[in-house]
Amino acid sequence: MSKPFTTAAVIGAGTIGLSWTALFAGHGMRVRVTDPRPDLAEAVEAALTACAPQLAEQGLDIRDIANRVQLASDVTEAVRDADVVQENGPENIGFKQELFATLVREAPAHALLLSSSSAIPATAFSGELDDASRVLIGHPFNPPHLVPLVEVVPGEHTSEESVARAVEFYRSVGRTPVVERKEIPGFVGNRLQNALSREAIYLVEQGVVGPAELDTVVTNSLGLRWSTVGPFLGAHLGGGPGGYRHMDEHIGVSMKRMWDALGQPDQGPEETERLITAVEKAYGHRSYSELTQERDHKQTAVLAALHATGNTTEENQR
Ligand SMILES: NC(=O)c1ccc[n+]([C@@H]2O[C@H](COP(=O)([O-])OP(=O)(O)OC[C@H]3O[C@@H](n4cnc5c(N)ncnc54)[C@H](O)[C@@H]3O)[C@@H](O)[C@H]2O)c1
């Protein structure tokens, strides 16, 4: 049996690193966090205060959560006795190359070295290392203390043992890991998100709907559906008793014909500025904390409702 996951190092305490910190501490791990930001202590405290009630709603004992988190002055101190390292620094190959060289050198030999990278595959920043067998992607969706999926993506040099341990680790902190066997920029989740975002931007650019109306379309249809069935099971059911086969023959033909008509938005500087202004007009009157609290409250409610059905998201996928 592999060493238990007792101590985590979190490198980079921005949006994602702070949420991981709360999740790991909520699951009883000791967490060492490092980030050069001057307000690190305040940021960690604020994140733990904001996330603790949502972790409690997941059934976790959060009474001692703040005592489990320590600040480290640098990467070497953070990883000293780590069983697992979760990297959440800037999305930049040069940064990740340098950092993972340090991690391989400084972290204990058994420690898993995981990156939250959204689009850069592990081989791109670990290919030159002497030993990249413990380096792989553990890509979450924001915020990772609530959204269950973690895309586990090995690089060319990652060992099978590390893949299995990463799956074991993410399950141990209540996540739903999915192993993806081929490196592709953006992995699966962000490719899907980008395909939808591209069309969403196009529709707003064309004046078909505004940003808030587009969001209403998604949250009241696809978003709701996709929290219970994915696109393939959804289509299988959309075909009625004839299933996916009937769907493909019946509506699929006209759907596929539409592929050629999908939009290619024109995101030059002027169009980008117009889009940003439209989004700010739709949502800019409400504060970040008000909007994130509302989002987290709703997501916690959806997760609790799904849990109450006895189905985990992982079970839905079988
Ligand atoms: N924001 C998202 O929705 C999201 C979702 C999934 C994955 N990710 C990925 O997670 C990673 C972090 O993204 P984020 O949104 O949290 O970014 P962010 O800008 O909020 O945070 C990055 C943090 O890294 C810190 N940092 C910079 N240099 C550092 C160093 N040398 N050592 C330690 N920390 C350092 C910065 O001070 C900052 O706090 C990226 O790779 C991103 O692609 C982001």
Side-chain angles (χ1 to χ4, degrees):
M1 197 171 124
S2 61
K3 210 169 177 299
F5 300 103
T6 310
T7 304
V10 170
I11 313 295
T15 309
I16 295 302
L18 289 170
S19 174
W20 277 131
T21 299
L23 179 78
F24 298 159
H27 279 266
M29 296 184 79
R30 185 165 52 157
V31 188
R32 295 229 166 86
V33 190
T34 192
D35 189 309
R37 61 188 289 179
D39 64 341
L40 179 61
E42 294 84 351
V44 168
E45 194 188 332
L48 293 179
T49 305
C51 297
Q54 295 150 14
L55 294 167
E57 284 193 48
Q58 293 174 39
L60 301 174
D61 180 358
I62 45 102
R63 277 171 301 181
D64 211 21
I65 194 168
N67 292 334
R68 295 186 201 127
V69 179
Q70 293 164 7
L71 307 186
S73 56
D74 58 23
V75 171
T76 303
E77 189 191 323
V79 304
R80 207 176 42 225
D81 51 4
D83 302 306
V84 58
V85 179
Q86 184 80 44
E87 176 273 325
N88 322 278
E91 183 79 353
N92 168 308
I93 292 195
F95 167 82
K96 294 196 198 284
Q97 269 168 340
E98 204 175 307
L99 180 75
F100 276 83
T102 308
L103 295 180
V104 167
R105 204 172 53 239
E106 302 289 345
H110 73 280
L112 275 178
L113 308 176
L114 299 157
S115 171
S116 295
S117 163
S118 295
I120 308 171
T123 306
F125 57 82
S126 64
E128 306 293 306
L129 299 175
D130 289 340
D131 177 14
S133 63
R134 297 179 284 145
V135 179
L136 67 167
I137 303 295
H139 173 247
F141 269 68
N142 187 41
H145 73 280
L146 286 183
V147 183
L149 179 73
V150 184
E151 295 178 274
V152 172
V153 194
E156 284 170 21
H157 309 288
T158 311
S159 70
E160 274 308 309
E161 189 200 345
S162 296
V163 176
R165 288 190 70 227
V167 167
E168 186 191 344
F169 168 62
Y170 286 124
R171 288 210 174 113
S172 78
V173 289
R175 301 302 87 190
T176 302
V178 171
V179 179
E180 296 169 9
R181 288 289 170 189
K182 198 168 177 181
E183 289 188 308
I184 184 164
F187 315 118
V188 174
N190 272 332
R191 290 182 80 88
L192 292 173
Q193 177 162 250
N194 264 314
L196 190 69
S197 294
R198 186 173 70 179
E199 187 61 23
I201 292 169
Y202 177 76
L203 291 168
V204 171
E205 244 183 41
Q206 294 298 308
V208 179
V209 280
E213 290 157 316
L214 188 126
D215 284 352
T216 301
V217 168
V218 173
T219 53
N220 286 275
S221 60
L222 297 172
L224 183 65
R225 175 188 291 167
W226 286 344
S227 67
T228 58
V229 294
F232 286 110
L233 179 53
H236 187 54
L237 299 176
Y244 195 84
R245 183 174 299 280
H246 178 62
M247 184 65 164
D248 186 65
E249 292 161 357
H250 169 50
I251 303 173
V253 178
S254 61
M255 286 286 199
K256 285 177 194 169
R257 227 177 268 134
M258 219 197 303
W259 287 355
D260 290 337
L262 290 176
Q264 199 55 263
D266 186 4
Q267 280 288 284
E270 239 174 68
E271 292 80 5
T272 303
E273 189 51 43
R274 210 174 300 132
L275 181 67
I276 292 170
T277 305
V279 174
E280 286 174 349
K281 190 165 169 228
Y283 298 116
H285 59 288
R286 300 186 63 197
S287 73
Y288 175 71
S289 69
E290 187 190 346
L291 288 167
T292 51
Q293 270 174 34
E294 186 176 301
R295 176 200 62 190
D296 294 350
H297 182 62
K298 286 180 180 172
Q299 290 193 352
T300 302
V302 170
L303 286 167
L306 286 172
H307 193 68
T309 68
N311 249 5
T312 65
T313 42
E314 217 167 344
E315 278 161 353
N316 276 337
Q317 287 154 8
R318 286 201 190 108

